[in-house]
């Protein structure tokens, strides 16, 4: 794998070198990474980048600076591969201080370029030995995994019996060389947006009572969290249900789990779970359960309108939900269900909603 | 004998017995606000202004580079002593009481000519104000070069008789060959800020860059404005009045003191642009007897004459009676005074051709400085001048402010709400209106009256500097883009080549062809280094096009002078090669002022760092661009 990554990156550099030497203006072409260029892949049912391409050439200052920084980044990755090291994205951003003209202005710029490099090379960030600085989210439930320890041996962990109340923390790298999914007695996975709801369900023993694995998403889920969900879905045949707040940003959280995110559409096949089900809080839930609400802000309204144009939300369900939310002008948190008492969500709401989608029979 | 025809008019009004005759001095005593002495702050300022105007006029007439000392010192709480000393030609002992003590006394009253003071009111009014408020005499010390000693005279003004009375006098040894010093003690209030003495002096220094001016304020703080040129101002020639420049009453006044025997001779002899032929026509059309004595002119005759003047074909007045500041003075002045703000741009000053309003020749000059550390979030500063005198008050009522506000500045790159009003931005505009008789809104001469002809001329001049500003901004944009591209081909692309080679462990690629493809321009960029008498400038011309290039290059410094010929024929430069030339720029000890480069004989679109020679501007840029593609 390592030598393959090296070969791919070096061939990119070689292409630029050859163009320069041959009197042709070098350019880097890649898929356009915006909303208008994501299309549904019929085979995998996830959203991927389409045909539209962008090119960065040495003809312009911006293009040339991009290429220069890209080459510096490749050099840095090749060095890590050679030395068997890895670094966080943040570390790379700081290391670029020493790259002269190749230095990055902001960490956003370097993070984005690392993703660009994935798009260009069809490799993934793990191949580049670049990782985010934050860990993934937490898991509680009857699932047994093996994680490679620092000593190099695999350690078996049951996410119900071998962890504390905070659960098992998903590491940055969840590929099989680091993490193996061994066995489970659970019937489904319930992914939760907020920590408050995760704690509520743990305290009420929801996982044991209904035989499920609880995953705390921590807001917009990290790549490794989504990757774990994908693996639990494909390797263990566990259905994924997503329970979020009822606002436009939560719709996007579900969208990125089920359909893939715009920023990472090149790896949607690794990350997205097309069969994931949304179980609320939806705009209809706000009406049906008469939930306490907040008014939509201008930003919320803009986000909803953007979702109406988002190809991933063009189903009847989502169009109706988004339009309803715009119409009532209200949003609600998961915790709004506490209006009916602390146990309402575990005793009434979730069994009802999961019953509708077939999670609880 | 100098007699003032206005005095005659004043006397003429008082012949009816039940009117009490009052002298002009008495009139001033009761109506001091008319001349600007209407508040304690204004009064000190007016005294300085009148004395300084006199000093500058005297130096200009004597063709002397002005050395002026101004001091305001506090005697008691609200009493100040103002001293102004010059190195002008000095004043003859016998002339002193009249020069300083008589209102409306002028040495050149009939002559029509541009000068700072126009009616001889100023300094006497200042002395009179001091006398009224403190009872103190004015102290005058003066010496002319021809005399061995100077004189020190204490002078009071006899208000009833409108003349100066010498209280005491003594000969004194003065430390200079010639010059005049006047000290006036007066009540007032010393003020700092926008409309203050120091601001007035600063603005005076802007338009008198050949002056050394020292100012000592009441706290003993000294400010010096140094001379930046030894040029003498363009002198103004006296002319006779133009017929269209006089009102009937003035015609009578002029006639009453004329030495001519006949009306015909009066017309040809006392007026400008009245030939024998024109005089005949005037007399024929008006039906007035040309043999009448001008001294007996009646009012109806004068009215008739004035009317006929407007119907005959008169040439406009000659223009050499005007004294502009001139391009060099405006540039130097703005540069010296505002240099500390490091402006990015000094406009080439614009002077309008001479125009005429009401028979009075006048013209307009404008200069601007832009950018640097000039405050940009505020309305632009307008510094107004009339006949080389700064106007500090009544900006809103002034023709100059009106002209600035009526122009849409947005096309010139300035912020302005709806294209009207004083624009916002980092700019200082200097506007100088000058003429034989600049019309003011009041006797205190603080604002130019809104005469349509004058406003129109100011606007034309402003638009002209506006165009200069716009092309500076465009040029700046282009320079920035050129620098970016230069950085691209000189730094970034070579760096990419080097880095790729290092990663692959190969030799550096040959990037010449790619650079020519990417740039497709000829870069002209310069570097300068200080020398004792100016700067050594090196111009590097790099041909980053795919063909050989040859052309002519011209250099024009913003300030200073290029040693030798500032025109070069650049020999053919091969593709991807460069050529260097060096020259010396002679300027004073200041920052590098910048050089504008022009090319001819090459498609201007291919050139970065130089403008097409103005003669080539007929080649429109769009056409040129098509040419390239």
């Amino acid at each position: 794998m390592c030598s393959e990554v090296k070969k791919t990156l070096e061939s990119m550099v070689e292409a630029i070198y050859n163009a320069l030497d041959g009197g042709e203006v070098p350019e880097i072409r890649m898929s356009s990474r915006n909303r208008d260029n994501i299309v549904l892949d019929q085979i995998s049912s996830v959203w991927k980048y389409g045909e539209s391409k962008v090119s960065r050439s040495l003809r312009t200052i911006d293009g040339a600076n991009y290429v220069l920084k890209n080459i510096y980044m490749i050099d840095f990755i090749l060095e890590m591969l050679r030395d068997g090291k890895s670094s966080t994205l943040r570390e790379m951003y700081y290391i670029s201080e020493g790259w002269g003209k190749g230095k990055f202005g902001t960490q956003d710029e370097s993070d984005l370029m690392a993703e660009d490099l994935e798009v260009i090379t069809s490799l993934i960030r793990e191949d580049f030995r670049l990782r985010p600085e934050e860990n993934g989210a937490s898991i509680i439930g009857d699932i047994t995994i093996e994680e490679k320890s620092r000593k190099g041996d695999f350690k078996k962990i049951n996410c119900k019996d071998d962890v504390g109340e905070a659960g098992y923390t998903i590491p940055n790298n969840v590929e099989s060389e680091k993490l193996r999914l061994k066995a489970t007695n659970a019937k489904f996975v319930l992914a939760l947006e907020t920590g408050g709801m995760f704690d509520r369900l743990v305290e009420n023993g929801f996982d044991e009572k209904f035989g499920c694995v609880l995953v705390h998403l921590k807001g917009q889920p990290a790549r490794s969290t989504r990757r774990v969900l994908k693996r639990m879905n494909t390797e263990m045949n566990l259905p994924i249900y997503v329970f979020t707040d009822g606002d436009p940003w939560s719709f996007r959280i579900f969208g990125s789990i089920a359909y893939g995110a715009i920023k990472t559409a090149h790896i949607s096949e690794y990350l997205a779970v097309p069969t994931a089900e949304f179980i609320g809080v939806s705009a209809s839930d706000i009406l049906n359960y008469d939930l306490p609400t907040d008014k939509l802000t201008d930003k919320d309204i803009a986000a909803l309108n953007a979702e109406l144009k988002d190809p991933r939300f063009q189903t009847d369900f989502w169009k109706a939900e988004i339009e309803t939310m715009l119409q009532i002008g209200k949003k609600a948190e998961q915790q709004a269900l506490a209006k009916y008492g602390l146990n309402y969500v575990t005793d009434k709401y979730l069994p009802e909603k999961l019953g509708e989608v077939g999670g609880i029979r | 004998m100098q007699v003032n025809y206005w005095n005659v008019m004043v006397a003429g009004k008082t012949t009816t017995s039940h009117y009490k005759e009052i002298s002009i001095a008495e009139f001033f005593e009761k109506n001091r606000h008319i001349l600007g002495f209407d508040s304690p702050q204004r009064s000190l300022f007016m005294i300085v202004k009148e004395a300084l105007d006199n000093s500058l006029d005297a130096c200009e007439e004597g063709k002397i580079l002005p050395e002026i000392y101004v001091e305001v010192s506090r005697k008691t709480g609200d009493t100040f002593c103002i001293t102004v000393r010059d190195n002008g030609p000095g004043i003859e002992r016998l002339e002193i009481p009249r020069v300083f003590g008589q209102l409306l006394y002028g040495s050149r009253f009939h002559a029509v000519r541009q000068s700072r003071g126009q009616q001889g009111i100023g300094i006497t009014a200042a002395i009179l104000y001091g006398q009224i408020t403190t009872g103190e005499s004015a102290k005058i010390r003066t010496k002319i070069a021809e005399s061995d000693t100077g004189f020190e005279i204490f002078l009071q003004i006899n208000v009833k008789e409108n003349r100066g009375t010498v209280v005491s006098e003594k000969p004194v040894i003065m430390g200079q060959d010639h010059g005049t010093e006047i000290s006036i003690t007066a009540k007032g209030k010393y003020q700092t800020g926008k409309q203050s003495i120091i601001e007035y002096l600063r603005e005076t220094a802007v338009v008198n860059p050949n002056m050394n001016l020292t100012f000592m304020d009441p706290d003993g703080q000294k400010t010096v404005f140094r001379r930046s040129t030894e040029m003498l101002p363009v002198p103004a020639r006296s002319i006779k009045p133009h017929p269209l420049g006089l009102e009937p009453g003035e015609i009578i006044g002029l006639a009453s003191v004329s030495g001519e025997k006949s009306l015909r001779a009066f017309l040809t002899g006392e007026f400008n642009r009245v030939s024998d032929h024109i005089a005949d026509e005037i007399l024929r059309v008006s039906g007035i007897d040309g043999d009448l004595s001008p001294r007996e002119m009646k009012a109806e005759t004068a009215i008739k004459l004035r009317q006929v003047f407007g119907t005959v074909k008169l040439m406009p007045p000659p223009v050499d009676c005007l004294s502009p500041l001139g391009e060099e003075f405006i540039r130097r002045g703005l540069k010296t005074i505002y240099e500390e703000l490091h402006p990015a741009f000094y406009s080439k000053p614009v002077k309008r051709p001479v125009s005429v309003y009401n028979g009075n020749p006048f013209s307009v000059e404008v200069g601007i400085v832009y950018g640097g550390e000039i405050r940009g979030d505020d309305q632009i500063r307008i510094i107004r001048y009339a006949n080389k005198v700064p106007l500090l008050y009544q900006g809103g009522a002034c023709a100059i402010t009106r002209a600035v506000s009526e122009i849409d500045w947005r096309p010139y790159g300035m912020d302005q709400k709806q294209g009207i009003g004083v624009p916002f931005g980092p700019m200082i505009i200097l506007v100088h209106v000058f003429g034989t008789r600049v019309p003011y809104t009041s006797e205190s001469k603080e604002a130019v009256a809104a005469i349509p002809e004058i406003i129109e001329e100011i606007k034309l001049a402003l638009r002209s500097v506006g165009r200069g500003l716009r092309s500076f901004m465009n040029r700046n944009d282009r320079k920035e883009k050129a620098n970016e591209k230069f950085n691209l081909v000189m730094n970034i692309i070579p760096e990419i080549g080097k880095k790729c080679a290092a990663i692959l462990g190969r030799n550096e690629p040959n990037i010449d062809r790619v650079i020519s493809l990417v740039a497709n321009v000829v870069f002209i960029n310069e570097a300068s280094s200080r020398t004792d008498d100016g700067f050594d400038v090196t111009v590097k011309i790099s041909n980053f096009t795919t063909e050989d290039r040859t052309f002519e290059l011209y250099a024009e410094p913003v300030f200073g002078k290029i040693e030798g010929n500032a025109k070069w024929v650049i020999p053919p430069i091969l593709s991807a090669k460069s050529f260097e030339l060096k020259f010396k720029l002679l300027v004073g000890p200041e920052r590098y002022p910048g050089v504008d480069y022009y090319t001819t004989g090459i498609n201007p679109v291919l050139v970065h760092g130089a403008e097409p020679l103005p003669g080539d501007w007929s080649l429109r840029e769009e056409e040129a661009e098509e040419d390239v593609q």
Side-chain angles (χ1 to χ4, degrees):
Chain A
M1 187 65 195
C2 187
S3 69
E4 204 178 300
V5 175
K6 184 168 176 276
K7 227 172 88 187
T8 308
L9 293 175
E10 277 178 354
S11 71
M12 246 183 94
V13 176
E14 197 168 11
I16 292 167
Y17 179 96
N18 289 344
L20 275 176
D21 205 41
E24 271 173 56
V25 182
E27 62 174 4
I28 294 179
R29 276 169 73 79
M30 67 175 149
S31 295
S32 159
R33 298 180 60 200
N34 62 44
R35 192 184 65 195
D36 299 333
N37 190 40
I38 58 167
V39 294
L40 185 68
D41 184 84
Q42 297 294 344
I43 298 161
S44 58
S45 294
V46 295
W47 292 81
K48 300 207 261 189
Y49 292 126
E51 295 293 302
S52 169
K53 301 272 178 207
V54 292
S55 119
R56 311 276 200 159
S57 89
L58 299 203
R59 284 180 196 282
T60 66
I61 275 274
D62 289 348
N65 275 323
Y66 182 90
V67 173
L68 181 62
K69 289 173 188 184
N70 215 294
I71 290 172
Y72 267 99
M73 188 183 273
I74 289 173
D75 188 36
F76 173 68
I77 293 167
L78 289 171
E79 201 182 298
M80 286 197 295
L81 290 171
R82 213 166 32 237
D83 302 347
K85 288 261 165 62
S86 73
S87 83
T88 65
L89 288 163
R90 188 153 193 80
E91 280 171 330
M92 180 176 69
Y93 166 65
Y94 283 120
I95 283 166
S96 84
E97 280 286 328
W99 295 355
K101 294 183 196 73
K103 172 184 177 229
F104 291 108
T106 61
Q107 198 193 332
D108 277 353
E109 188 189 0
S110 56
D111 288 0
L112 206 64
M113 192 173 283
E115 286 172 2
D116 282 355
L117 205 56
E118 293 182 311
V119 177
I120 297 163
T121 58
S122 303
L123 295 167
I124 56 172
R125 199 169 60 202
E126 287 72 12
D127 296 331
F128 304 148
R129 301 175 170 253
L130 288 169
R131 52 192 154 82
E133 42 287 342
E134 278 171 35
N135 284 327
S138 315
I139 299 177
I140 279 192
D142 190 2
I143 180 169
T144 304
I145 55 143
E146 281 180 356
E147 187 185 335
K148 194 181 191 179
S149 73
R150 279 184 292 175
K151 288 181 190 138
D153 50 345
F154 280 88
K155 194 171 164 53
K156 193 174 272 194
I157 301 166
N158 180 277
C159 297
K160 179 166 68 85
D161 301 332
D162 302 337
V163 299
E165 270 178 32
Y168 167 74
T169 301
I170 302 169
N172 285 317
N173 186 354
V174 291
E175 295 312 306
S176 46
E177 77 251 22
K178 171 80 177 165
L179 189 79
R180 296 174 188 159
L181 302 180
K182 296 308 281 187
T184 183
N185 292 314
K187 294 195 284 291
F188 63 93
V189 175
L190 183 58
L192 304 153
E193 177 180 352
T194 67
M197 190 51 71
F198 182 75
D199 292 344
R200 162 69 33 231
L201 267 55
V202 171
E203 189 179 308
N204 288 5
F206 188 86
D207 56 320
E208 300 201 32
K209 194 167 165 192
F210 290 95
C212 68
V213 174
L214 301 175
V215 177
H216 176 202
L217 298 173
K218 288 192 183 169
Q220 180 65 252
R223 264 167 75 157
S224 59
T225 306
R226 285 186 279 151
R227 178 70 179 139
V228 165
L229 288 174
K230 172 77 178 177
R231 288 185 62 193
M232 289 195 288
N233 179 250
T234 52
E235 292 173 28
M236 297 177 141
N237 287 317
L238 292 175
I240 310 287
Y241 302 112
V242 182
F243 181 25
T244 67
D245 283 338
D247 64 39
W249 317 100
S250 306
F251 295 172
R252 287 185 186 179
I253 289 174
F254 173 76
S256 72
I257 292 171
Y259 314 131
I262 293 169
K263 256 168 61 111
T264 53
H266 55 294
I267 43 177
S268 284
E269 276 172 286
Y270 289 91
L271 301 181
V273 183
T275 56
E277 293 269 5
F278 180 72
I279 58 161
V281 175
S282 64
S284 347
D285 287 346
I286 293 176
L287 298 173
N288 295 342
Y289 291 86
D290 189 22
L291 296 177
T293 56
D294 289 314
K295 254 185 91 174
L296 291 180
T297 65
D298 290 348
K299 276 188 172 173
D300 292 334
I301 292 168
L304 286 169
N305 283 318
E307 282 162 17
L308 280 177
K309 290 182 199 126
D310 191 320
R312 297 171 302 165
F313 288 103
Q314 296 307 310
T315 62
D316 291 343
F317 170 79
W318 280 116
K319 278 200 275 193
E321 286 298 335
I322 293 164
E323 273 159 15
T324 305
M325 185 166 279
L326 279 168
Q327 214 169 7
I328 61 177
K330 302 273 173 56
K331 60 182 179 182
E333 291 180 9
Q334 290 179 303
Q335 279 73 20
L337 290 160
K339 172 190 177 185
Y340 300 110
L342 288 179
N343 298 332
Y344 183 79
V345 67
T346 47
D347 293 355
K348 183 102 170 105
Y349 178 84
L350 282 174
E352 259 181 39
K353 296 290 283 206
L354 287 165
E356 276 170 32
V357 296
I360 297 172
R361 273 177 286 266
Chain B
M1 185 66 215
Q2 309 264 358
V3 183
N4 185 315
Y5 58 80
W6 278 24
N7 270 355
V8 177
M9 289 297 294
V10 173
K13 253 188 201 162
T14 60
T15 47
T16 329
S17 60
H18 51 269
Y19 284 105
K20 183 179 172 287
E21 179 177 350
I22 59 162
S23 77
I24 193 83
E26 252 180 315
F27 175 78
F28 167 70
E29 189 177 359
K30 294 191 168 63
N31 298 286
R32 58 175 93 144
H33 61 277
I34 294 177
L35 297 178
F37 291 85
D38 54 354
S39 73
Q41 298 93 315
R42 286 279 285 275
S43 300
L44 294 188
F45 161 77
M46 284 303 289
I47 293 168
V48 170
K49 167 175 150 53
E50 297 297 352
L52 180 60
D53 285 357
N54 272 11
S55 289
L56 287 170
D57 268 344
C59 290
E60 202 161 301
E61 247 167 74
K63 300 203 187 311
I64 295 162
L65 288 172
E67 296 277 352
I68 291 174
Y69 175 80
V70 176
E71 182 181 322
V72 177
S73 61
R74 194 188 298 270
K75 292 186 93 172
T76 62
D78 62 347
T79 307
F80 291 84
C81 180
I82 293 114
T83 298
V84 176
R85 179 166 67 235
D86 64 48
N87 62 338
I91 301 162
E92 297 241 23
R93 156 70 192 88
L94 289 173
E95 287 283 314
I96 291 171
R98 277 200 294 259
V99 169
F100 291 104
Q102 188 172 344
L103 284 166
L104 299 175
Y105 178 85
S107 60
R108 48 187 184 272
F109 212 82
H110 301 300
V112 174
R113 177 185 174 188
Q114 176 192 334
S115 66
R116 289 178 177 79
Q118 281 184 329
Q119 290 141 2
I121 294 177
I123 193 64
T124 312
I127 294 171
L128 189 53
Y129 176 81
Q131 185 177 318
I132 291 165
T133 54
T134 67
E136 301 245 4
S137 312
K139 183 175 90 174
I140 294 140
R141 291 157 65 97
T142 186
K143 178 180 180 303
I144 54 174
E146 296 78 15
S147 171
D148 290 338
T149 63
F151 288 92
E152 179 176 287
I153 287 173
F154 282 87
L155 189 85
Q156 283 264 347
I157 289 167
N158 181 327
V159 178
K160 285 270 178 288
E161 293 174 21
N162 182 24
R163 61 182 180 82
T165 307
V166 173
V167 178
S168 69
E169 95 170 74
K170 63 175 182 194
V172 286
I173 303 298
M174 283 179 64
Q176 55 191 123
D177 192 34
H178 49 80
T180 303
E181 175 187 303
I182 179 162
S183 304
I184 295 172
T185 305
K187 285 216 161 150
K189 194 171 164 207
Y190 184 79
Q191 206 180 16
T192 54
K194 220 172 161 189
Q195 294 171 330
S196 60
I197 289 169
I198 182 97
E199 262 324 294
Y200 182 80
L201 297 178
R202 188 189 314 280
E203 292 191 4
T204 302
V206 170
V207 292
N208 293 280
N210 64 354
M211 161 181 77
N212 272 337
L213 174 66
T214 306
F215 175 54
M216 193 73 84
D217 78 6
D219 298 329
Q221 187 156 346
K222 190 159 111 177
T223 309
V224 180
F225 298 100
R226 281 200 195 287
R227 170 181 299 139
S228 62
T229 176
E230 304 210 333
M231 254 174 78
L232 287 167
V234 184
R237 193 172 64 87
S238 298
I239 59 166
K240 295 167 188 164
H242 190 271
L244 292 175
L246 295 181
E247 297 297 331
E250 294 171 310
I251 296 173
I252 297 175
L254 189 59
S256 68
V257 296
S258 170
E260 302 291 349
K261 295 283 183 287
S262 71
L263 202 58
R264 185 189 313 277
F266 168 69
L267 287 175
T268 54
E270 301 284 2
F271 286 99
N272 197 297
R273 299 304 196 201
V274 180
S275 61
D276 289 343
H277 171 71
I278 296 278
D280 282 343
E281 193 186 338
I282 291 168
L283 292 169
R284 186 175 52 75
V285 175
S286 62
I288 296 169
D289 180 1
D291 295 329
L292 285 174
S293 163
R295 291 181 154 270
E296 284 154 26
M297 186 184 295
K298 292 199 176 58
E300 60 262 35
T301 312
I303 292 166
K304 185 81 196 165
L305 277 175
R306 181 64 185 75
Q307 198 189 334
V308 175
F309 287 160
T311 64
V312 298
K313 215 172 160 57
L314 290 165
M315 275 177 56
V319 296
D320 55 356
C321 55
L322 298 189
S323 167
L325 293 166
E327 190 178 319
E328 182 76 7
F329 264 41
I330 294 179
R331 275 194 173 194
R332 288 249 173 224
L334 286 173
K335 187 151 174 59
T336 315
I337 304 301
Y338 295 114
E339 193 176 22
E340 59 193 39
L341 296 172
H342 303 134
F345 174 63
Y346 295 88
S347 75
K348 186 179 163 63
V350 167
K351 176 176 164 293
R352 294 288 306 155
V354 174
S355 293
V356 177
Y357 93 92
N358 243 349
N360 300 302
F362 77 96
S363 183
V364 170
E365 289 169 294
V366 171
I368 57 175
V369 289
Y370 176 88
E373 288 149 36
I374 300 171
R375 283 192 55 173
D377 48 357
D378 231 336
Q379 286 193 318
I380 62 163
R381 214 161 123 205
I382 306 165
I383 48 176
R384 301 175 290 133
Y385 296 90
N387 283 347
K388 305 186 183 178
V389 177
L391 307 177
L392 251 58
Y393 290 92
Q394 292 188 25
C398 188
I400 294 172
T401 315
R402 264 196 46 187
V404 171
S405 309
E406 285 176 11
I407 285 182
D408 186 349
W409 285 94
R410 294 171 302 180
Y412 307 123
M414 303 295 291
D415 277 344
Q416 194 184 29
K417 288 177 187 118
Q418 275 125 34
I420 196 155
V422 178
F424 288 74
M427 180 155 85
I428 298 170
I429 300 188
L430 176 155
V431 180
H432 179 217
V433 176
F434 56 105
T436 52
R437 187 184 283 182
V438 170
Y440 295 98
T441 54
S442 70
E443 284 308 312
S444 48
K445 300 196 282 184
E446 285 156 348
V448 178
I451 307 288
E453 290 95 323
I454 295 181
I455 291 187
E456 198 42 46
E457 284 299 309
I458 299 172
K459 280 160 101 172
L460 287 168
L462 288 172
R463 289 204 179 94
S464 180
V465 291
R467 283 191 290 276
L469 176 67
R470 184 178 53 201
S471 68
F472 160 75
M473 287 182 177
N474 290 346
R475 190 160 70 224
N476 235 27
D477 277 2
R478 277 203 294 276
K479 267 194 184 151
E480 225 160 81
K481 283 200 190 109
N483 284 340
E484 272 194 7
K485 206 131 211 201
F486 190 76
N487 182 30
L488 172 65
V489 298
M490 292 308 285
N491 297 315
I492 302 176
I493 294 179
E495 174 94 15
I496 290 172
K498 250 184 241 168
K499 191 78 192 167
C500 287
I503 290 172
L504 301 171
R506 297 188 194 167
N507 293 329
E508 281 183 33
N510 178 6
I511 57 173
D512 284 354
R513 164 117 186 115
V514 167
I515 282 183
S516 297
L517 282 172
V518 168
N520 196 28
V521 285
V522 174
F523 280 115
I524 296 173
N525 67 338
E526 49 160 35
S528 64
S529 62
R530 276 298 303 271
T531 62
D532 290 341
D533 52 351
F535 294 87
D536 281 335
V537 184
T538 304
V539 183
K540 187 170 181 186
I541 305 162
S542 312
N543 176 11
F544 288 137
T545 69
T546 46
E547 286 167 40
D548 303 350
R549 300 286 170 184
T550 172
F551 55 93
E552 282 170 40
L553 181 75
Y554 297 77
E556 188 188 329
V558 175
F559 284 100
K561 199 177 162 301
I562 288 173
E563 197 181 66
N565 201 347
K567 176 193 160 186
W568 301 271
V569 177
I570 308 300
I573 309 173
L574 302 182
S575 174
K577 298 289 173 228
S578 55
F579 176 80
E580 268 188 9
L581 63 88
K582 292 174 193 292
F583 61 82
K584 213 168 162 55
L585 176 63
L586 304 169
V587 282
E590 33 193 40
R591 292 183 313 142
Y592 180 62
V595 174
D596 290 334
Y597 296 95
Y598 299 96
T599 54
T600 183
I602 183 170
N603 186 335
V605 167
L606 291 174
V607 180
H608 272 304
E611 299 292 303
L613 197 67
D616 289 358
W617 282 344
S618 53
L619 177 67
R620 295 212 322 272
E621 291 213 354
E622 305 93 278
E623 288 172 2
E625 264 169 48
E626 273 171 33
D627 206 30
V628 167
Q629 289 159 1

